[in-house]
Amino acid sequence: ADTIAAADVLLLQGEVGADGARRAAELAKAAGTLVVFNPAPVVADVAAAVLPFADIVTPNRAELEQIDVPDGVRLVVTLGPEGALVDEAIAIPSFPTDVIDPTGAGDSFCGALAVGLADGLSLEDAARRGCAAGALACRRAGAEPSMPTKDELEALLAG
């Protein structure tokens, strides 16, 4: 509880059990910690537990069709090689990449987005960082090994 309360952002996803996810989201909301929810994989009871507390939801197109995002929640839809769409209106372009394995790209996107938000970036700028991280993740095989470093991310963003 203390760690969540002290955090700037809490990032949750569908693989955490509904009770634990709900409790973490409740604690975050009570403390003023920003709650970002990536509904992957979509698990109905987890989504139902977390969505009422979410400030930002980050589904892909298929996941978006399976959840009901509450009014007032900001939305960042990941579009794979097409980038992302913020609040159904702001297109964030992808970064060119050589795809070896897309495993972990969505997790990299969400992690970089959450860190960007914690660093004070706007949602649009944080989503741009997420797109860069997702592109970098596609360049290596596997989930954990594909997670980009901060230096790799900064280099790609610098262009």
Side-chain angles (χ1 to χ4, degrees):
D2 292 341
T3 300
I4 291 171
D8 294 312
V9 178
L10 172 69
L11 174 60
L12 292 167
Q13 46 80 21
E15 292 176 328
V16 176
D19 292 340
R22 175 188 297 276
R23 183 67 181 133
E26 287 173 339
L27 290 167
K29 203 65 163 178
T33 299
L34 188 71
V35 178
V36 178
F37 179 51
N38 173 15
V42 175
V43 178
D45 64 333
V46 176
V50 175
L51 282 168
F53 301 99
D55 296 297
I56 300 167
V57 179
T58 62
N60 63 30
R61 285 180 271 217
E63 293 156 355
L64 182 59
E65 293 177 7
Q66 300 175 58
I67 62 172
D68 292 318
V69 179
D71 290 339
V73 172
R74 302 219 43 204
L75 185 62
V76 180
V77 180
T78 59
L79 306 172
E82 298 168 34
L85 187 62
V86 175
D87 293 332
E88 301 182 270
I90 302 166
I92 308 296
S94 64
F95 286 76
T97 196
D98 294 321
V99 177
I100 292 173
D101 180 5
T103 304
D107 292 331
S108 293
F109 176 95
C110 290
L113 176 107
V115 169
L117 293 168
D119 287 345
L121 295 180
S122 69
L123 184 56
E124 294 81 9
D125 288 341
R128 184 172 182 273
R129 292 182 72 79
C131 285
L136 288 168
C138 290
R139 295 179 183 178
R140 291 190 287 259
E144 188 175 329
S146 71
M147 298 293 149
T149 66
K150 182 178 181 181
D151 288 343
E152 291 171 325
L153 183 56
E154 295 299 332
L156 182 58
L157 288 166

